[in-house]
Amino acid sequence: MKLVILAFTIFLASPCELKAQSVFLPENGNYQFYLSDITATLKNKGAHYITLNSNAYNPSLKYKLDTRRNEYQIKNWFQLDWFVMQDMFFLDSEAYMLSQKATTFNDAKRRQYSRFLFDKKAFFHYKTIPVMKEWGGLTHPPVKKLVMPLHKYDSSFANLDYSKLVSPYFSPMMQLELDKLSRSELTFGNKVVAMADRDVFEAKKKLIRNARESILMSSLVFICDKSTREVTNLLIDKHREGINVKIMADGMISKVLKHRDCLKMMREAGIAVIETKDFLKHKLKAIYHTKTLVVDFKEAIAGGHNMIDADNLSRSTDFHNRDVDLYVKGPMVTDIAKQFVENWRYQTTLIKEMSPLTSIEKVVKENLVEERRLGQRGVEFYNRILSNPQTRMNGVCRFIKQAPYEDRHTIGKAYLKLLNKVSRHLVIADPVKSDTYVAKMSDAPISEMLDNFDMFNQLHLKVQALAKDSIKIDYLTTNINMAGNENVAIMNERIKDQLDLGKELIANWSLVKLLASNNYYGKPHYKNLMKDWLPYPNVHIWKHMSFMHSKIFYFDRVVASIGSYNFQHNATDQAYESTAICMDESLNKGLDQLLVEDMANSIPLIFSGLR
């Protein structure tokens, strides 16, 4: 509690005269700075790469200054649209690079932050130039559109000629080994597109609206907020049209969070809904974490997106979730449907009132046979597909299902094999680095002493071995202000609603809970980042301004894995998970764009010293 109070005090800190302007304490302070004052200060501090947007300029706006963080905060902060406020200033990326005497944007950022001191208790940089609170710890406005070639942002993302690329990932023998390890197989000619944030939500709604036969949908939770209610109503409408709708969600999390309203609505409308029942059966850790949508066996979306506003309504830099899913059209859709019906069938052995999806299973089996006949899957085609530069990077994918009732290490085994062959560059996007190597169970936190760390330890040591071998690693994760996961977005919205209703005193308590959540998750997060990864100069740690919810492993920019699989022991060793692992040139180019944009909107974990 002392740390929470300290964090709350720091949040309010200001050298200016305090005035009792509001019982909501963060609004107190001396709002004495105008945008013209801020612009002049930026120029005096050498930040000529930032200019005021004359179209958004309002001379009456007033700000206060948090001198500890060197951040300006506008009046009524919680009730404003931070995404819109971010456009108050422009960033000249070329001028920013020039100001730091760097040849790339990321090098400029790392050089700048390397000169700042770092608070080892509160986990933020003491910035020597003033910034806006809505920039989320960045020293510049968020980058909402990449205006330079990717290699100008980061030299590791220069163009690749995939037709001439030599890679062990094209080996049929290696792919056959992956088949056995992961209980999956390659499919060919898939259309796969990486999609982020609100675009995923819109795509899911479009697929549901256009459904003509069936909808198979799963999510960890269906938080019954604005966006999830919209999807729930769409699903109920499709059910009433005669579409076969099946829904699966985790049973324990839904109960603990008391967010079952939308599931109840669908069940009462006649939709078959399974809330998984095996949490207690598998060491109290069998979380149903896979998130997929399959429509008419023709199109699918799979990844990390949950049914929650923080994912569905995100605009990347607006302090919601930053998340990436995969749109799929092609034979891998059958594999995604197959994992759904298999998990459903297993749950029916625990929930007697539910029946297996016999008719859907029949369609899956028929599709598998037909796709094999058409040459869209099957080991007999591996040599031909993988030896041809025109086909080996054209929708060559596998979908891996991981389940505690079968083999809870299928994804991890595949990752270990893929990590063995990384020779140039590894990119990892992962929400919170809550885990480190656990040599014996007594070393684990008390709440996790009964957990398994078998696969996590192997993956952790393998990635560390790459770091020690000087392989370039970009590690994208979350900053301290968002370390409290989706709770932060939920609490921000709650505070806004409370202030709108005049409940200022209650809003103080909501903010304390938000800060406590950030502190609880943030301390081990930073401890592990600084102990395990900061010592390696070839490992670049990027802390995104929003909550980094993406789960991505990107191997040498050849093989991309996008799914629900966190680099954390519950995912690696216990939970229901899934991921798509693809070799596709178009997918990789789109993923490159998203990852470079994420790094541009991240704070590098690098500094000159500790305070």
Side-chain angles (χ1 to χ4, degrees):
M1 182 56 73
K2 290 182 179 179
L3 287 173
V4 173
I5 294 172
L6 175 62
F8 198 56
T9 303
I10 291 171
F11 188 91
L12 304 176
S14 173
C16 308
E17 177 187 356
L18 295 180
K19 299 178 181 179
Q21 300 162 324
S22 171
V23 294
F24 181 53
L25 299 180
E27 283 300 320
N28 290 324
N30 191 350
Y31 291 83
Q32 60 178 327
F33 300 102
Y34 294 94
L35 284 171
S36 56
D37 301 321
I38 296 172
T39 303
T41 302
L42 285 168
K43 289 183 178 180
N44 289 337
K45 292 293 184 177
H48 299 284
Y49 47 86
I50 299 172
T51 56
L52 188 64
N53 180 357
S54 59
N55 293 327
Y57 177 68
N58 184 338
S60 66
L61 296 179
K62 298 183 73 174
Y63 296 77
K64 68 176 180 178
L65 179 64
D66 176 348
T67 55
R68 188 163 183 258
R69 292 179 180 266
N70 211 0
E71 290 181 350
Y72 289 101
Q73 178 185 319
I74 196 170
K75 184 73 173 173
N76 299 322
W77 159 261
F78 278 95
Q79 295 163 285
L80 299 176
D81 188 331
W82 305 320
F83 187 78
V84 173
M85 291 167 61
Q86 291 163 356
D87 296 332
M88 198 79 75
F89 290 88
F90 290 126
L91 168 66
D92 184 332
S93 298
E94 296 275 8
Y96 178 62
M97 291 156 55
L98 185 63
S99 74
Q100 305 302 318
K101 298 180 181 179
T103 57
T104 70
F105 189 88
N106 283 349
D107 282 345
K109 181 171 290 196
R110 287 178 59 79
R111 287 189 182 191
Q112 184 180 49
Y113 278 85
S114 69
R115 295 192 291 271
F116 299 154
L117 293 174
F118 188 73
D119 191 312
K120 64 181 179 180
K121 293 184 178 180
F123 307 114
F124 70 91
H125 291 87
Y126 290 92
K127 298 178 288 293
T128 57
I129 63 167
V131 299
M132 311 302 287
K133 185 177 175 66
E134 57 266 28
W135 296 354
L138 301 174
T139 56
H140 55 77
V143 176
K144 297 181 179 179
K145 183 179 180 180
L146 300 180
V147 296
M148 303 184 296
L150 295 191
H151 70 271
K152 293 288 289 181
Y153 289 94
D154 193 303
S155 59
S156 297
F157 287 84
N159 285 335
L160 288 178
D161 186 345
Y162 286 100
S163 66
K164 298 179 180 178
L165 194 64
V166 176
S167 172
Y169 299 125
F170 300 140
S171 164
M173 186 61 68
M174 180 182 184
Q175 294 298 335
L176 287 170
E177 292 174 0
L178 285 171
D179 287 0
K180 296 177 182 178
L181 292 169
S182 64
R183 300 187 180 188
S184 66
E185 66 177 347
L186 289 180
T187 56
F188 319 117
N190 292 284
K191 177 183 178 182
V192 281
V193 181
M195 307 178 71
D197 307 325
R198 190 172 293 198
D199 289 344
V200 176
F201 178 57
E202 295 300 325
K204 285 181 177 179
K205 289 192 296 181
K206 182 178 179 180
L207 287 186
I208 292 170
R209 287 194 190 100
N210 294 336
R212 294 294 177 264
E213 297 176 6
S214 62
I215 298 171
L216 311 176
M217 188 173 188
S218 67
S219 176
L220 172 68
V221 288
F222 283 74
I223 303 295
C224 215
D225 47 26
K226 178 182 176 181
S227 62
T228 306
R229 284 183 181 271
E230 185 178 356
V231 169
T232 297
N233 290 331
L234 282 174
L235 292 166
I236 291 172
D237 288 344
K238 298 309 289 189
H239 168 73
R240 289 171 177 166
E241 291 176 15
I243 307 301
N244 190 358
V245 180
K246 306 298 180 188
I247 304 296
M248 191 152 37
D250 183 80
M252 181 57 67
I253 299 296
S254 297
K255 290 179 181 178
V256 170
L257 296 180
K258 298 181 180 179
H259 285 297
R260 303 176 70 192
D261 290 351
C262 280
L263 295 172
K264 182 180 179 182
M265 287 169 58
M266 288 187 283
R267 187 177 286 116
E268 290 178 347
I271 295 175
V273 177
I274 280 184
E275 295 177 76
T276 56
K277 297 292 184 182
D278 55 344
F279 178 81
L280 298 176
K281 187 174 181 179
H282 303 286
K283 296 187 178 181
L284 310 182
K285 290 293 179 179
I287 301 298
Y288 194 86
H289 196 242
T290 189
K291 306 98 185 276
T292 59
L293 170 66
V294 180
V295 173
D296 295 343
F297 302 101
K298 295 178 180 178
E299 296 174 277
I301 295 176
H305 273 247
N306 288 305
M307 279 292 102
I308 182 174
D309 281 350
D311 264 327
N312 296 333
L313 303 183
S314 172
R315 293 170 288 180
S316 173
T317 63
D318 61 352
F319 307 109
H320 282 76
N321 287 359
R322 174 56 164 178
D323 212 340
V324 174
D325 270 22
L326 193 68
Y327 166 83
V328 183
K329 186 175 184 179
M332 188 166 63
V333 172
T334 303
D335 296 313
I336 301 173
K338 181 172 179 282
Q339 65 85 32
F340 183 95
V341 298
E342 288 177 349
N343 287 340
W344 185 285
R345 175 174 281 276
Y346 173 72
Q347 290 298 320
T348 63
T349 66
L350 308 174
I351 310 171
K352 300 305 180 184
E353 63 269 23
M354 302 301 293
S355 301
L357 306 178
T358 307
S359 61
I360 293 177
E361 289 178 348
K362 181 181 178 183
V363 175
V364 168
K365 291 177 181 178
E366 291 172 349
N367 286 352
L368 290 171
V369 171
E370 180 64 9
E371 288 159 6
R372 208 170 301 279
R373 186 186 70 81
L374 294 174
Q376 296 176 334
R377 67 170 68 239
V379 296
E380 62 268 33
F381 303 108
Y382 282 20
N383 282 322
R384 176 170 62 81
I385 296 293
L386 296 172
S387 64
N388 185 346
Q390 303 303 314
T391 56
R392 66 190 184 189
M393 289 293 295
N394 181 21
V396 178
C397 299
R398 67 174 71 242
F399 190 78
I400 305 178
K401 163 201 166 188
Q402 179 171 295
Y405 62 85
E406 287 183 339
D407 185 343
R408 53 190 171 85
H409 290 153
T410 47
I411 297 175
K413 290 174 183 176
Y415 275 13
L416 288 173
K417 177 63 67 172
L418 292 164
L419 288 168
N420 275 335
K421 301 299 182 180
V422 171
S423 61
R424 301 185 308 275
H425 188 195
L426 174 67
V427 184
I428 299 173
D430 186 51
V432 176
K433 183 40 58 199
S434 56
D435 284 345
T436 187
Y437 180 79
V438 176
K440 55 184 183 299
M441 284 302 101
S442 58
D443 294 337
I446 294 175
S447 62
E448 298 170 355
M449 284 186 176
L450 298 178
D451 292 2
N452 292 305
F453 283 77
D454 300 341
M455 180 53 68
F456 173 80
N457 282 343
Q458 293 181 63
L459 289 169
H460 177 88
L461 292 176
K462 178 58 68 175
V463 176
Q464 281 226 316
L466 294 174
K468 293 174 183 177
D469 287 344
S470 299
I471 298 295
K472 169 69 183 300
I473 299 176
D474 283 306
Y475 199 118
L476 285 71
T477 187
T478 303
N479 77 85
I480 188 60
N481 293 328
M482 299 300 298
N485 58 66
E486 288 92 338
N487 291 334
V488 177
I490 292 172
M491 283 296 177
N492 280 332
E493 290 296 325
R494 187 169 298 169
I495 291 168
K496 178 184 182 302
D497 292 341
Q498 289 165 345
L499 293 175
D500 288 343
L501 293 171
K503 299 179 179 180
E504 296 178 344
L505 193 60
I506 297 175
N508 284 318
W509 177 238
S510 294
L511 184 58
V512 168
K513 290 191 287 185
L514 186 158
L515 295 171
S517 180
N518 278 339
N519 182 69
Y520 177 80
Y521 291 103
K523 286 182 67 177
H525 175 55
Y526 274 86
K527 177 182 177 182
N528 292 329
L529 286 173
M530 296 177 73
K531 175 176 68 72
D532 293 334
W533 307 109
L534 190 62
Y536 304 102
N538 50 300
V539 178
H540 292 180
I541 303 167
W542 305 99
K543 306 172 296 163
H544 199 273
M545 60 179 296
S546 292
F547 180 60
M548 175 55 67
H549 199 251
S550 302
K551 303 97 166 49
I552 296 168
F553 268 65
Y554 197 22
F555 308 89
D556 275 344
R557 292 176 62 207
V558 177
V559 178
S561 176
I562 299 173
S564 66
Y565 190 81
N566 291 315
F567 191 10
Q568 186 264 351
H569 77 276
N570 192 56
T572 60
D573 285 272
Q574 278 124 188
Y576 287 84
E577 304 286 354
S578 64
T579 194
I581 298 181
C582 292
M583 296 188 294
D584 182 82
E585 181 174 353
S586 178
L587 169 65
N588 288 3
K589 289 180 177 179
L591 188 57
D592 287 347
Q593 290 275 335
L594 291 173
L595 292 172
V596 169
E597 182 182 315
D598 284 347
M599 286 186 279
N601 291 319
S602 294
I603 305 155
L605 186 55
I606 187 172
F607 42 79
S608 63
L610 298 171
R611 281 180 62 178

